[in-house]
Structure formats: C-alpha cells, structure tokens
Amino acid sequence: MEPKVLGILLSLSTVLVLLFPLVYGFSVHGRDLQSFMLPREGVDGLDGLFGDPGDISFGDESFDLQTGEIELEATFASDLDFDIILTKFSGDIYYEDGKVGWIELEEEVVLEASETTDFKLHGEVDQGLIVDAVGPGDTVEDMDLYFENMDIGMEFLGVEIMIEDYVMEDVEP
Amino acid sequence: MSSEDESMLKMINWPGIAAGILMILLPFTGAWWKVAAGSELFSVSLSPFHYEFMVMGEAMEVPVLNYLIIALQVLVVFGGIMLVLGSLFVNREESEKLIGYGSGKIIWPTVMFFIILLFGAFFVNNYLTGFMPVEEMEEVDNGAEFDFKVPYLVGTTTSGMQIGNMEASIPVTKSFQSPVLLGILAMSLALVSRRFHGLFS
C-alpha cells in the first residue's frame, strides 16, 4: 500500500474512533447536551449538609430548675447518613422575675456526631443558650431557645471548619 | 540460530515492539495521578485513558467523558497494534507511517496530560478566586475570602475560605500513581522507536 494512502486511512480511522463513541453517546442520551455534558450522580447529597436551625430536634432532656443544671441532646438533621448531636451541656441558670431568664453554659461543650467516625466536632459556647420565660414546672417544650456566640470547630472528611460567633435562632424544641 | 534468523532479529524495531505492547496494556492499568481534598471529601483520579470522580465517597460520572475515554482507549490500543506491526516489518515501506502513527498515540496523550495538569494547577492558583461569587457575598457579615493553593503536580497544600464567620481549611494532596511509570516508559520507548527506525533506513 502506498504510504500516502496508508497515512490518509490512519488519519481517517483516528477521526472515526474519536467521533463515533461521542456521537453514539450523544444519541443514547437523547441528544440532550446538558445531560451528556454534566455530572449525573453524587452531588445531591451536598444540599442540606448541616440542615437548617428548624431541622434541629431534641431528645433525652433533663432540665432541673432546682440545681440549675441542664442536659440536652440536640440533633441536627442532615441529608447525609449521619446526624450531629450536641449533647450533655450544662451551665448556670439565671432567673428573672421568678422565671428562667437565660442559661450560661460552661465554657467547653461537647459536641458529638453520630453514625460516623469521619466527623469530629468540638465546640465552645461562651454565652450560651438563651431561654425565655420558663417557670417552675415548665418543660423543655415550653422553652424558647436560641444559641448565641457559639464557636464551633468541626473536622469533616479531613476538612477543618471553624464557625465563630454563630447565632442559632428560632430553635423550637 | 542461523545467520538468517539473526539478521531477521536485527531487522526488528525492538523499542517499538516494547512500546506497542505497553500501549495495548496501558488502558487497563488505572489512574496515573490523583488529587484529593480532605480525606474523602473530593478526589479525582486521572490518566489519559481513565478517570474517576468521587464526592464524599460517591462516584460521579460525566457521560461525555465516559465516551471520550472509550475513544482514547481504543485509539491507544489501535496505535499500539500499528506500532508493533510497523516495528516487526521495518523493511516494508509502510513501516515508517505505522511507527509514526502508533508512537504518536502515546506521545501526544502523555504530553497533553501533563500540560493539562500543569495548566489546571496554574488556573486554580491564579484565576479560580476571580470566578468565585465574592461580590454576591458582600452582604454576608465580614464578607467572603477565598485562598486557593494547590501543588502543581505532587505535594500537599492547604486552601482556605472564609464566608462570614465561617472559616474552612482544606488540605489538598496530589500524587502520582504507579501506572504513570508505565505511561512514561511507553512514551520514551515510542520516542526511541522513531529514532531507531532511522537506523534501518
């Protein structure tokens, strides 16, 4: 075979080999350029990673007005396969007009995550959990909660995240 | 071994044979290079004939890349076969074309692969920050800042971002995987085979 002809055939074969799978794949994907070009799996889980404040739920609470100790477990809802739990924090209760005005939490608050070993969470709440108008006999359901001045550090899949002076409002037990 | 056999063996482009065989094997050897952010947050494994995107442990596929990779795999195997044929029959007039064509199918993808890696790192280090929606985030308290730094080919750096009161530090690690040695060896042998062919003519 003439080298020149062979060169042309080889060049043509290159073009065909490159184009055929692309054209075939494009037709298989309904000739929809967007579905052909964009990633199609695995990114949905990033939405709602930490949930919204409204997604927080509480459980296993103890709230002792006599001793001034509070123990709460709060769970951040997440679209991933784990929840973040703030657990067992305690502090001093301050009263206003015979009712609980607000609670100052201890400096170190242990924050834990469930169902994963990849998530490490540590935090500090230096002003605390604000509780409005709770009187003796009231339960945690009666509290109007919000957190303020929270410094939260997290390590998630090797990424370190630090949130300073975080305010979490409208927490509904 | 007769003198006729010896002269036949001398009339074979051995570097071309070796490069051709490696080219046929290369699509099945996996990634050449990997970049990972965090431990499992995000990783990309690449070679000219393989890709794998992982986001938080979940594989992510891009259809166009799947088909492009198939095309490149077929092309390198076909190029390897042509290189072997050209190297076996060096006294045929088609030999030079076959060796030139076949060797090009490993030389150019390998060179382009490294250029794309370097360009990608250059883009991230110098221009990616400009594409972040910093202006839209100016309403956020304390604004937003991004500091992207990645190694050019191998190594570990830490990129940072600050949005309002949140700061994140993301370690980014780039590393070569062992199959890259086969790729570089195949490319080197392919280059040698071109020079070697000149000796026969």
Side-chain angles (χ1 to χ4, degrees), chain B residues 6 9 31 33 49 74 100 120-121 126 128 135 151 153 163 168 195 199:
Chain B
E6 278 184 22
L9 286 175
W33 175 87
F49 322 107
V74 171
N126 294 284
L128 185 60
E135 287 178 8
L153 286 176
I163 302 170
R195 301 280 297 177
L199 299 176

Side-chain angles (χ1 to χ4, degrees), chain B residues 2 18 21-22 24-25 40 43 61 76 79 109 113 120 125 129 132 139 156 170 172 174 193 196 199:
Chain B
S2 68
I21 291 170
L22 283 176
I24 293 166
L25 296 175
E40 278 182 46
S43 73
E61 291 192 343
V76 75
F113 178 74
N125 287 335
T129 306
M132 302 308 293
E139 293 174 8
T156 301
I170 308 164
V172 178
K174 290 182 173 181
S193 73
F196 202 69
L199 299 176

Side-chain angles (χ1 to χ4, degrees), chain A residues 17 122 136 155 159 164:
Chain A
V17 168
H122 55 87
E155 187 182 324
V159 176
E164 292 179 348

Side-chain angles (χ1 to χ4, degrees), chain B residues 70-115:
Chain B
I70 290 170
L72 288 169
Q73 287 177 338
V74 171
L75 211 56
V76 75
V77 169
F78 183 64
I81 293 168
M82 294 300 109
L83 184 54
V84 168
L85 288 175
S87 303
L88 280 175
F89 305 104
V90 287
N91 51 353
R92 297 282 298 258
E93 59 180 345
E94 298 93 343
S95 172
E96 188 175 355
K97 277 280 179 209
L98 291 174
I99 289 174
Y101 174 83
S103 59
K105 295 298 165 284
I106 184 65
I107 293 168
W108 286 113
T110 306
V111 170
M112 288 305 296
F113 178 74
F114 284 102
I115 288 174

Side-chain angles (χ1 to χ4, degrees), chain A:
Chain A
M1 187 184 292
E2 281 287 320
K4 207 171 185 177
V5 177
L6 181 64
I8 292 167
L9 285 176
L10 289 172
S11 300
L12 274 177
S13 69
T14 301
V15 174
L16 280 176
V17 168
L18 277 175
L19 279 184
F20 179 73
L22 292 175
V23 173
Y24 175 75
F26 188 52
S27 64
V28 165
H29 280 79
R31 297 181 183 178
D32 178 1
L33 196 62
Q34 196 170 348
S35 79
F36 190 52
M37 302 286 282
L38 294 179
R40 67 180 179 195
E41 287 174 14
V43 289
D44 295 343
L46 294 175
D47 295 335
L49 177 60
F50 300 113
D52 297 320
D55 296 332
I56 297 173
S57 59
F58 290 85
D60 298 333
E61 307 89 354
S62 77
F63 188 76
D64 190 336
L65 292 177
Q66 304 301 319
T67 61
E69 287 184 352
I70 182 169
E71 195 166 294
L72 278 178
E73 184 175 286
T75 305
F76 289 68
S78 163
D79 287 349
L80 302 176
D81 59 355
F82 65 89
D83 294 324
I84 305 165
I85 298 172
L86 287 81
T87 185
K88 293 180 183 173
F89 48 83
S90 58
D92 297 324
I93 300 175
Y94 290 80
Y95 297 90
E96 287 176 358
D97 301 329
K99 292 184 173 183
V100 174
W102 61 293
I103 298 170
E104 186 176 88
L105 296 172
E106 288 177 351
E107 284 190 359
E108 288 294 330
V109 177
V110 179
L111 307 178
E112 294 177 351
S114 68
E115 297 178 27
T116 176
T117 54
D118 294 326
F119 200 102
K120 295 172 189 167
L121 198 59
H122 55 87
E124 185 174 300
V125 184
D126 63 4
Q127 274 203 14
L129 177 69
I130 311 298
V131 186
D132 286 341
V134 176
D138 286 346
T139 66
V140 72
E141 282 78 17
D142 300 317
M143 294 192 299
D144 183 11
L145 302 175
Y146 64 99
F147 300 91
E148 66 178 27
N149 292 355
M150 296 174 74
D151 293 342
I152 302 174
M154 315 175 206
E155 187 182 324
F156 177 60
L157 297 174
V159 176
E160 285 185 19
I161 300 170
M162 186 73 203
I163 304 171
E164 292 179 348
D165 298 331
Y166 185 65
V167 176
M168 192 182 287
E169 295 176 319
D170 301 326
V171 179
E172 295 293 336

